[in-house]
């Protein structure tokens, strides 16, 4: 007797048990199908949530919000200022839109001295240490000063590792900063903005430094 005949005879002999077994199998198969469908639905929801979150982060970054991570920099000559938007011509002759907001910090520079270089402060450094801007304590730009001696000072490297030591005798110009506003940003002037990219040609600034003419920080 084949398997098919045995199964047929069993079903005929015990119809009630057969119905229960068939129902149970149906539930198992349905559950598996339902689980697969549910997984696909949940997977789609997760993808939508991730996409929405990414868009929210990009939008926040475009307005200069602090969304975490390392800040980038943009610098160049100002070609236009409209409302809260600054347009730059960078050293690569490309146009860069810098978006600012009520949370964006603006600073002017003024003459300082090497005595303004203190442990814990952050510095912008150009010309291998010859030109330095001492940033506000709350700034997230620049290199942190780790030590200051009578002849040298050391700063943290961007990716960690052994600190970089610079001789104070090598420093020829030190600038400090004072609070400013977007009204201090003028066409044909130069700025350095810290923040995050918000697209190919857009940048959300959390900090903007108004630079003196022909600044080495525009490179």
């Amino acid at each position: 007797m084949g398997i098919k005949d045995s199964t047929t005879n069993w079903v005929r002999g015990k119809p009630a048990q057969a119905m229960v077994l068939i129902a149970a199998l149906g539930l198992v198969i349905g559950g598996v199908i339902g689980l697969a469908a549910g997984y696909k639905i949940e997977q789609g929801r997760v993808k939508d949530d991730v996409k929405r979150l990414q868009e929210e982060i990009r939008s926040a970054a475009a307005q200069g919000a602090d969304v975490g991570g390392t800040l980038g920099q943009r610098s160049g000559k100002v070609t236009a200022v409209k409302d809260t938007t600054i347009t730059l011509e960078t050293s690569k002759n490309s146009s860069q839109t810098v978006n600012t907001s009520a949370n964006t910090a603006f600073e002017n520079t003024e003459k300082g001295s090497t005595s303004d270089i203190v442990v814990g402060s952050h510095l912008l450094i150009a010309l291998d240490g010859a030109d330095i801007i001492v940033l506000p304590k709350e700034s997230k730009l620049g290199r942190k000063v780790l030590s200051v001696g009578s002849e040298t000072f050391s700063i943290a490297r961007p990716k960690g590792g052994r600190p970089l030591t610079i001789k104070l005798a090598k420093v020829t110009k030190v600038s400090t900063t004072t609070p400013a506003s977007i009204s201090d940003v003028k066409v044909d002037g130069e700025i350095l903005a810290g923040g995050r990219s918000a697209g190919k040609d857009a940048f959300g600034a959390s900090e903007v430094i108004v630079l003196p003419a022909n600044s080495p920080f525009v490179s």
Side-chain angles (χ1 to χ4, degrees):
M1 181 180 295
I3 295 175
K4 181 179 180 181
D5 292 337
S6 297
T7 302
T8 301
N9 290 337
W10 181 79
V11 170
R12 288 175 179 174
K14 299 180 179 180
Q17 295 180 10
M19 289 178 65
V20 171
L21 178 61
I22 292 171
L25 288 172
L27 288 173
V28 172
I29 295 172
V32 171
I33 294 173
L35 181 62
Y39 171 76
K40 288 184 178 180
I41 292 172
E42 189 62 27
Q43 188 180 46
R45 288 176 180 171
V46 170
K47 288 182 178 179
D48 290 341
D49 288 343
V50 170
K51 184 177 180 180
R52 184 175 66 254
L53 181 59
Q54 289 174 335
E55 290 174 350
E56 289 175 355
I57 291 174
R58 280 194 293 268
S59 178
Q63 300 304 317
D66 187 356
V67 295
T70 304
L71 294 180
Q73 295 181 10
R74 299 290 187 274
S75 62
K77 183 179 180 180
V78 178
T79 58
V81 182
K82 184 177 181 182
D83 298 327
T84 59
T85 301
I86 304 167
T87 305
L88 295 180
E89 180 183 351
T90 69
S91 60
K92 297 180 180 180
N93 296 320
S94 63
S95 180
Q96 178 77 67
T97 298
V98 176
N99 299 317
T100 69
S101 71
N103 296 321
T104 303
F106 288 86
E107 290 118 29
N108 279 320
T109 58
E110 63 179 15
K111 185 177 180 180
S113 68
T114 55
S115 63
D116 293 305
I117 303 172
V118 296
V119 174
S121 61
H122 285 242
L123 310 178
L124 289 175
I125 296 177
L127 304 177
D128 296 325
D131 201 325
I132 290 174
I133 297 177
V134 181
L135 300 170
K137 291 182 179 180
E138 62 273 14
S139 177
K140 295 182 180 180
L141 296 175
R143 311 278 190 87
K144 185 176 182 179
V145 179
L146 301 178
S147 67
V148 179
S150 59
E151 297 182 352
T152 64
F153 66 94
S154 65
I155 57 175
R157 294 181 184 271
K159 296 182 180 180
R162 186 176 180 180
L164 176 64
T165 298
I166 298 175
K167 292 182 178 181
L168 287 168
K170 187 176 183 178
V171 180
T172 59
K173 182 179 180 181
V174 176
S175 300
T176 57
T177 62
T178 57
S181 68
I182 195 169
S183 63
D184 294 296
V185 179
K186 306 295 184 182
V187 173
D188 291 332
E190 296 178 334
I191 67 166
L192 183 149
R196 294 175 177 84
S197 175
K200 182 180 179 181
D201 300 317
F203 187 78
S206 59
E207 187 172 354
V208 174
I209 301 170
V210 181
L211 300 170
N214 302 313
S215 172
F217 292 93
V218 176
S219 59

mmCIF file with all atom_site columns, all heavy atoms in Angstrom, residues 107-113 116 132-134 173-179 209-210 212:
data_model
loop_
_atom_site.group_PDB
_atom_site.id
_atom_site.type_symbol
_atom_site.label_atom_id
_atom_site.label_alt_id
_atom_site.label_comp_id
_atom_site.label_asym_id
_atom_site.label_entity_id
_atom_site.label_seq_id
_atom_site.pdbx_PDB_ins_code
_atom_site.Cartn_x
_atom_site.Cartn_y
_atom_site.Cartn_z
_atom_site.occupancy
_atom_site.B_iso_or_equiv
_atom_site.pdbx_formal_charge
_atom_site.auth_seq_id
_atom_site.auth_comp_id
_atom_site.auth_asym_id
_atom_site.auth_atom_id
_atom_site.pdbx_PDB_model_num
ATOM 1   N N   . GLU A 1 107 ? 31.825 86.142 15.066 1.00 0.00 ? 107 GLU A N   1
ATOM 2   C CA  . GLU A 1 107 ? 32.948 86.777 15.758 1.00 0.00 ? 107 GLU A CA  1
ATOM 3   C C   . GLU A 1 107 ? 33.778 87.633 14.806 1.00 0.00 ? 107 GLU A C   1
ATOM 4   O O   . GLU A 1 107 ? 33.984 87.252 13.652 1.00 0.00 ? 107 GLU A O   1
ATOM 5   C CB  . GLU A 1 107 ? 33.859 85.710 16.374 1.00 0.00 ? 107 GLU A CB  1
ATOM 6   C CG  . GLU A 1 107 ? 33.265 84.961 17.545 1.00 0.00 ? 107 GLU A CG  1
ATOM 7   C CD  . GLU A 1 107 ? 33.125 83.474 17.276 1.00 0.00 ? 107 GLU A CD  1
ATOM 8   O OE1 . GLU A 1 107 ? 33.920 82.930 16.503 1.00 0.00 ? 107 GLU A OE1 1
ATOM 9   O OE2 . GLU A 1 107 ? 32.193 82.857 17.834 1.00 0.00 ? 107 GLU A OE2 1
ATOM 10  N N   . ASN A 1 108 ? 34.215 88.769 15.311 1.00 0.00 ? 108 ASN A N   1
ATOM 11  C CA  . ASN A 1 108 ? 35.229 89.579 14.637 1.00 0.00 ? 108 ASN A CA  1
ATOM 12  C C   . ASN A 1 108 ? 36.589 89.229 15.228 1.00 0.00 ? 108 ASN A C   1
ATOM 13  O O   . ASN A 1 108 ? 36.674 88.666 16.322 1.00 0.00 ? 108 ASN A O   1
ATOM 14  C CB  . ASN A 1 108 ? 34.959 91.069 14.859 1.00 0.00 ? 108 ASN A CB  1
ATOM 15  C CG  . ASN A 1 108 ? 33.907 91.615 13.912 1.00 0.00 ? 108 ASN A CG  1
ATOM 16  O OD1 . ASN A 1 108 ? 33.881 91.272 12.735 1.00 0.00 ? 108 ASN A OD1 1
ATOM 17  N ND2 . ASN A 1 108 ? 33.018 92.459 14.439 1.00 0.00 ? 108 ASN A ND2 1
ATOM 18  N N   . THR A 1 109 ? 37.649 89.577 14.526 1.00 0.00 ? 109 THR A N   1
ATOM 19  C CA  . THR A 1 109 ? 38.998 89.364 15.060 1.00 0.00 ? 109 THR A CA  1
ATOM 20  C C   . THR A 1 109 ? 39.626 90.701 15.423 1.00 0.00 ? 109 THR A C   1
ATOM 21  O O   . THR A 1 109 ? 39.323 91.741 14.823 1.00 0.00 ? 109 THR A O   1
ATOM 22  C CB  . THR A 1 109 ? 39.899 88.652 14.034 1.00 0.00 ? 109 THR A CB  1
ATOM 23  O OG1 . THR A 1 109 ? 39.955 89.424 12.828 1.00 0.00 ? 109 THR A OG1 1
ATOM 24  C CG2 . THR A 1 109 ? 39.367 87.267 13.718 1.00 0.00 ? 109 THR A CG2 1
ATOM 25  N N   . GLU A 1 110 ? 40.472 90.679 16.449 1.00 0.00 ? 110 GLU A N   1
ATOM 26  C CA  . GLU A 1 110 ? 41.226 91.853 16.837 1.00 0.00 ? 110 GLU A CA  1
ATOM 27  C C   . GLU A 1 110 ? 42.617 91.426 17.280 1.00 0.00 ? 110 GLU A C   1
ATOM 28  O O   . GLU A 1 110 ? 42.858 90.242 17.543 1.00 0.00 ? 110 GLU A O   1
ATOM 29  C CB  . GLU A 1 110 ? 40.515 92.609 17.953 1.00 0.00 ? 110 GLU A CB  1
ATOM 30  C CG  . GLU A 1 110 ? 40.359 91.837 19.239 1.00 0.00 ? 110 GLU A CG  1
ATOM 31  C CD  . GLU A 1 110 ? 39.655 92.659 20.313 1.00 0.00 ? 110 GLU A CD  1
ATOM 32  O OE1 . GLU A 1 110 ? 39.045 93.684 19.983 1.00 0.00 ? 110 GLU A OE1 1
ATOM 33  O OE2 . GLU A 1 110 ? 39.730 92.258 21.489 1.00 0.00 ? 110 GLU A OE2 1
ATOM 34  N N   . LYS A 1 111 ? 43.517 92.365 17.379 1.00 0.00 ? 111 LYS A N   1
ATOM 35  C CA  . LYS A 1 111 ? 44.906 92.051 17.697 1.00 0.00 ? 111 LYS A CA  1
ATOM 36  C C   . LYS A 1 111 ? 45.038 91.454 19.097 1.00 0.00 ? 111 LYS A C   1
ATOM 37  O O   . LYS A 1 111 ? 44.447 91.927 20.058 1.00 0.00 ? 111 LYS A O   1
ATOM 38  C CB  . LYS A 1 111 ? 45.766 93.299 17.590 1.00 0.00 ? 111 LYS A CB  1
ATOM 39  C CG  . LYS A 1 111 ? 47.261 93.039 17.781 1.00 0.00 ? 111 LYS A CG  1
ATOM 40  C CD  . LYS A 1 111 ? 48.078 94.308 17.594 1.00 0.00 ? 111 LYS A CD  1
ATOM 41  C CE  . LYS A 1 111 ? 49.558 94.035 17.774 1.00 0.00 ? 111 LYS A CE  1
ATOM 42  N NZ  . LYS A 1 111 ? 50.380 95.268 17.603 1.00 0.00 ? 111 LYS A NZ  1
ATOM 43  N N   . GLY A 1 112 ? 45.821 90.368 19.181 1.00 0.00 ? 112 GLY A N   1
ATOM 44  C CA  . GLY A 1 112 ? 46.100 89.730 20.449 1.00 0.00 ? 112 GLY A CA  1
ATOM 45  C C   . GLY A 1 112 ? 47.597 89.530 20.617 1.00 0.00 ? 112 GLY A C   1
ATOM 46  O O   . GLY A 1 112 ? 48.404 90.145 19.906 1.00 0.00 ? 112 GLY A O   1
ATOM 47  N N   . SER A 1 113 ? 47.973 88.668 21.547 1.00 0.00 ? 113 SER A N   1
ATOM 48  C CA  . SER A 1 113 ? 49.388 88.373 21.779 1.00 0.00 ? 113 SER A CA  1
ATOM 49  C C   . SER A 1 113 ? 49.532 86.912 22.179 1.00 0.00 ? 113 SER A C   1
ATOM 50  O O   . SER A 1 113 ? 48.534 86.219 22.445 1.00 0.00 ? 113 SER A O   1
ATOM 51  C CB  . SER A 1 113 ? 49.956 89.273 22.878 1.00 0.00 ? 113 SER A CB  1
ATOM 52  O OG  . SER A 1 113 ? 49.373 88.945 24.127 1.00 0.00 ? 113 SER A OG  1
ATOM 53  N N   . ASP A 1 116 ? 47.694 85.261 25.072 1.00 0.00 ? 116 ASP A N   1
ATOM 54  C CA  . ASP A 1 116 ? 46.298 84.812 24.937 1.00 0.00 ? 116 ASP A CA  1
ATOM 55  C C   . ASP A 1 116 ? 46.207 83.311 24.678 1.00 0.00 ? 116 ASP A C   1
ATOM 56  O O   . ASP A 1 116 ? 45.115 82.731 24.730 1.00 0.00 ? 116 ASP A O   1
ATOM 57  C CB  . ASP A 1 116 ? 45.610 85.569 23.789 1.00 0.00 ? 116 ASP A CB  1
ATOM 58  C CG  . ASP A 1 116 ? 45.436 87.046 24.100 1.00 0.00 ? 116 ASP A CG  1
ATOM 59  O OD1 . ASP A 1 116 ? 44.840 87.349 25.146 1.00 0.00 ? 116 ASP A OD1 1
ATOM 60  O OD2 . ASP A 1 116 ? 45.900 87.887 23.300 1.00 0.00 ? 116 ASP A OD2 1
ATOM 61  N N   . ILE A 1 132 ? 47.867 82.914 14.111 1.00 0.00 ? 132 ILE A N   1
ATOM 62  C CA  . ILE A 1 132 ? 46.979 82.188 15.018 1.00 0.00 ? 132 ILE A CA  1
ATOM 63  C C   . ILE A 1 132 ? 45.770 83.036 15.390 1.00 0.00 ? 132 ILE A C   1
ATOM 64  O O   . ILE A 1 132 ? 45.891 84.240 15.628 1.00 0.00 ? 132 ILE A O   1
ATOM 65  C CB  . ILE A 1 132 ? 47.725 81.776 16.310 1.00 0.00 ? 132 ILE A CB  1
ATOM 66  C CG1 . ILE A 1 132 ? 48.755 80.688 16.006 1.00 0.00 ? 132 ILE A CG1 1
ATOM 67  C CG2 . ILE A 1 132 ? 46.756 81.288 17.391 1.00 0.00 ? 132 ILE A CG2 1
ATOM 68  C CD1 . ILE A 1 132 ? 49.630 80.324 17.187 1.00 0.00 ? 132 ILE A CD1 1
ATOM 69  N N   . ILE A 1 133 ? 44.600 82.396 15.420 1.00 0.00 ? 133 ILE A N   1
ATOM 70  C CA  . ILE A 1 133 ? 43.394 83.024 15.955 1.00 0.00 ? 133 ILE A CA  1
ATOM 71  C C   . ILE A 1 133 ? 42.986 82.248 17.203 1.00 0.00 ? 133 ILE A C   1
ATOM 72  O O   . ILE A 1 133 ? 42.781 81.030 17.148 1.00 0.00 ? 133 ILE A O   1
ATOM 73  C CB  . ILE A 1 133 ? 42.242 83.020 14.933 1.00 0.00 ? 133 ILE A CB  1
ATOM 74  C CG1 . ILE A 1 133 ? 42.605 83.849 13.702 1.00 0.00 ? 133 ILE A CG1 1
ATOM 75  C CG2 . ILE A 1 133 ? 40.962 83.555 15.580 1.00 0.00 ? 133 ILE A CG2 1
ATOM 76  C CD1 . ILE A 1 133 ? 41.533 83.831 12.616 1.00 0.00 ? 133 ILE A CD1 1
ATOM 77  N N   . VAL A 1 134 ? 42.903 82.957 18.332 1.00 0.00 ? 134 VAL A N   1
ATOM 78  C CA  . VAL A 1 134 ? 42.453 82.343 19.577 1.00 0.00 ? 134 VAL A CA  1
ATOM 79  C C   . VAL A 1 134 ? 40.929 82.435 19.614 1.00 0.00 ? 134 VAL A C   1
ATOM 80  O O   . VAL A 1 134 ? 40.364 83.535 19.595 1.00 0.00 ? 134 VAL A O   1
ATOM 81  C CB  . VAL A 1 134 ? 43.057 83.046 20.803 1.00 0.00 ? 134 VAL A CB  1
ATOM 82  C CG1 . VAL A 1 134 ? 42.595 82.356 22.088 1.00 0.00 ? 134 VAL A CG1 1
ATOM 83  C CG2 . VAL A 1 134 ? 44.580 83.056 20.717 1.00 0.00 ? 134 VAL A CG2 1
ATOM 84  N N   . LYS A 1 173 ? 51.838 86.538 14.416 1.00 0.00 ? 173 LYS A N   1
ATOM 85  C CA  . LYS A 1 173 ? 50.573 87.274 14.532 1.00 0.00 ? 173 LYS A CA  1
ATOM 86  C C   . LYS A 1 173 ? 49.571 86.449 15.327 1.00 0.00 ? 173 LYS A C   1
ATOM 87  O O   . LYS A 1 173 ? 49.348 85.276 15.037 1.00 0.00 ? 173 LYS A O   1
ATOM 88  C CB  . LYS A 1 173 ? 49.998 87.598 13.148 1.00 0.00 ? 173 LYS A CB  1
ATOM 89  C CG  . LYS A 1 173 ? 48.699 88.401 13.204 1.00 0.00 ? 173 LYS A CG  1
ATOM 90  C CD  . LYS A 1 173 ? 48.184 88.709 11.803 1.00 0.00 ? 173 LYS A CD  1
ATOM 91  C CE  . LYS A 1 173 ? 46.881 89.517 11.861 1.00 0.00 ? 173 LYS A CE  1
ATOM 92  N NZ  . LYS A 1 173 ? 46.364 89.797 10.492 1.00 0.00 ? 173 LYS A NZ  1
ATOM 93  N N   . VAL A 1 174 ? 48.992 87.090 16.342 1.00 0.00 ? 174 VAL A N   1
ATOM 94  C CA  . VAL A 1 174 ? 47.939 86.447 17.131 1.00 0.00 ? 174 VAL A CA  1
ATOM 95  C C   . VAL A 1 174 ? 46.709 87.349 17.117 1.00 0.00 ? 174 VAL A C   1
ATOM 96  O O   . VAL A 1 174 ? 46.814 88.567 17.336 1.00 0.00 ? 174 VAL A O   1
ATOM 97  C CB  . VAL A 1 174 ? 48.388 86.221 18.595 1.00 0.00 ? 174 VAL A CB  1
ATOM 98  C CG1 . VAL A 1 174 ? 47.225 85.631 19.413 1.00 0.00 ? 174 VAL A CG1 1
ATOM 99  C CG2 . VAL A 1 174 ? 49.587 85.297 18.652 1.00 0.00 ? 174 VAL A CG2 1
ATOM 100 N N   . SER A 1 175 ? 45.569 86.753 16.852 1.00 0.00 ? 175 SER A N   1
ATOM 101 C CA  . SER A 1 175 ? 44.305 87.486 16.898 1.00 0.00 ? 175 SER A CA  1
ATOM 102 C C   . SER A 1 175 ? 43.380 86.822 17.906 1.00 0.00 ? 175 SER A C   1
ATOM 103 O O   . SER A 1 175 ? 43.410 85.601 18.086 1.00 0.00 ? 175 SER A O   1
ATOM 104 C CB  . SER A 1 175 ? 43.623 87.492 15.524 1.00 0.00 ? 175 SER A CB  1
ATOM 105 O OG  . SER A 1 175 ? 44.439 88.108 14.551 1.00 0.00 ? 175 SER A OG  1
ATOM 106 N N   . THR A 1 176 ? 42.576 87.619 18.575 1.00 0.00 ? 176 THR A N   1
ATOM 107 C CA  . THR A 1 176 ? 41.518 87.094 19.430 1.00 0.00 ? 176 THR A CA  1
ATOM 108 C C   . THR A 1 176 ? 40.179 87.457 18.789 1.00 0.00 ? 176 THR A C   1
ATOM 109 O O   . THR A 1 176 ? 40.145 88.132 17.754 1.00 0.00 ? 176 THR A O   1
ATOM 110 C CB  . THR A 1 176 ? 41.603 87.684 20.849 1.00 0.00 ? 176 THR A CB  1
ATOM 111 O OG1 . THR A 1 176 ? 41.539 89.106 20.771 1.00 0.00 ? 176 THR A OG1 1
ATOM 112 C CG2 . THR A 1 176 ? 42.909 87.271 21.512 1.00 0.00 ? 176 THR A CG2 1
ATOM 113 N N   . THR A 1 177 ? 39.096 87.050 19.388 1.00 0.00 ? 177 THR A N   1
ATOM 114 C CA  . THR A 1 177 ? 37.789 87.320 18.784 1.00 0.00 ? 177 THR A CA  1
ATOM 115 C C   . THR A 1 177 ? 36.899 88.105 19.738 1.00 0.00 ? 177 THR A C   1
ATOM 116 O O   . THR A 1 177 ? 37.046 88.036 20.960 1.00 0.00 ? 177 THR A O   1
ATOM 117 C CB  . THR A 1 177 ? 37.072 86.012 18.403 1.00 0.00 ? 177 THR A CB  1
ATOM 118 O OG1 . THR A 1 177 ? 36.841 85.237 19.577 1.00 0.00 ? 177 THR A OG1 1
ATOM 119 C CG2 . THR A 1 177 ? 37.895 85.213 17.416 1.00 0.00 ? 177 THR A CG2 1
ATOM 120 N N   . THR A 1 178 ? 35.962 88.848 19.142 1.00 0.00 ? 178 THR A N   1
ATOM 121 C CA  . THR A 1 178 ? 34.935 89.567 19.889 1.00 0.00 ? 178 THR A CA  1
ATOM 122 C C   . THR A 1 178 ? 33.586 89.244 19.255 1.00 0.00 ? 178 THR A C   1
ATOM 123 O O   . THR A 1 178 ? 33.515 88.944 18.057 1.00 0.00 ? 178 THR A O   1
ATOM 124 C CB  . THR A 1 178 ? 35.165 91.088 19.854 1.00 0.00 ? 178 THR A CB  1
ATOM 125 O OG1 . THR A 1 178 ? 35.198 91.526 18.476 1.00 0.00 ? 178 THR A OG1 1
ATOM 126 C CG2 . THR A 1 178 ? 36.475 91.449 20.526 1.00 0.00 ? 178 THR A CG2 1
ATOM 127 N N   . PRO A 1 179 ? 32.507 89.294 20.028 1.00 0.00 ? 179 PRO A N   1
ATOM 128 C CA  . PRO A 1 179 ? 31.182 88.973 19.469 1.00 0.00 ? 179 PRO A CA  1
ATOM 129 C C   . PRO A 1 179 ? 30.823 89.882 18.308 1.00 0.00 ? 179 PRO A C   1
ATOM 130 O O   . PRO A 1 179 ? 31.138 91.071 18.294 1.00 0.00 ? 179 PRO A O   1
ATOM 131 C CB  . PRO A 1 179 ? 30.239 89.183 20.660 1.00 0.00 ? 179 PRO A CB  1
ATOM 132 C CG  . PRO A 1 179 ? 31.108 88.997 21.860 1.00 0.00 ? 179 PRO A CG  1
ATOM 133 C CD  . PRO A 1 179 ? 32.439 89.558 21.481 1.00 0.00 ? 179 PRO A CD  1
ATOM 134 N N   . ILE A 1 209 ? 33.472 83.369 11.522 1.00 0.00 ? 209 ILE A N   1
ATOM 135 C CA  . ILE A 1 209 ? 34.520 84.308 11.940 1.00 0.00 ? 209 ILE A CA  1
ATOM 136 C C   . ILE A 1 209 ? 34.789 85.271 10.797 1.00 0.00 ? 209 ILE A C   1
ATOM 137 O O   . ILE A 1 209 ? 35.121 84.854 9.679  1.00 0.00 ? 209 ILE A O   1
ATOM 138 C CB  . ILE A 1 209 ? 35.809 83.557 12.317 1.00 0.00 ? 209 ILE A CB  1
ATOM 139 C CG1 . ILE A 1 209 ? 35.520 82.578 13.459 1.00 0.00 ? 209 ILE A CG1 1
ATOM 140 C CG2 . ILE A 1 209 ? 36.907 84.534 12.716 1.00 0.00 ? 209 ILE A CG2 1
ATOM 141 C CD1 . ILE A 1 209 ? 36.653 81.631 13.752 1.00 0.00 ? 209 ILE A CD1 1
ATOM 142 N N   . VAL A 1 210 ? 34.630 86.555 11.067 1.00 0.00 ? 210 VAL A N   1
ATOM 143 C CA  . VAL A 1 210 ? 34.912 87.596 10.071 1.00 0.00 ? 210 VAL A CA  1
ATOM 144 C C   . VAL A 1 210 ? 36.413 87.845 10.079 1.00 0.00 ? 210 VAL A C   1
ATOM 145 O O   . VAL A 1 210 ? 36.978 88.279 11.084 1.00 0.00 ? 210 VAL A O   1
ATOM 146 C CB  . VAL A 1 210 ? 34.136 88.895 10.389 1.00 0.00 ? 210 VAL A CB  1
ATOM 147 C CG1 . VAL A 1 210 ? 34.426 89.937 9.318  1.00 0.00 ? 210 VAL A CG1 1
ATOM 148 C CG2 . VAL A 1 210 ? 32.646 88.609 10.486 1.00 0.00 ? 210 VAL A CG2 1
ATOM 149 N N   . PRO A 1 212 ? 40.245 89.345 8.641  1.00 0.00 ? 212 PRO A N   1
ATOM 150 C CA  . PRO A 1 212 ? 40.830 90.544 8.024  1.00 0.00 ? 212 PRO A CA  1
ATOM 151 C C   . PRO A 1 212 ? 41.132 90.258 6.557  1.00 0.00 ? 212 PRO A C   1
ATOM 152 O O   . PRO A 1 212 ? 41.168 89.104 6.107  1.00 0.00 ? 212 PRO A O   1
ATOM 153 C CB  . PRO A 1 212 ? 42.124 90.740 8.825  1.00 0.00 ? 212 PRO A CB  1
ATOM 154 C CG  . PRO A 1 212 ? 42.444 89.376 9.371  1.00 0.00 ? 212 PRO A CG  1
ATOM 155 C CD  . PRO A 1 212 ? 41.134 88.720 9.632  1.00 0.00 ? 212 PRO A CD  1
#
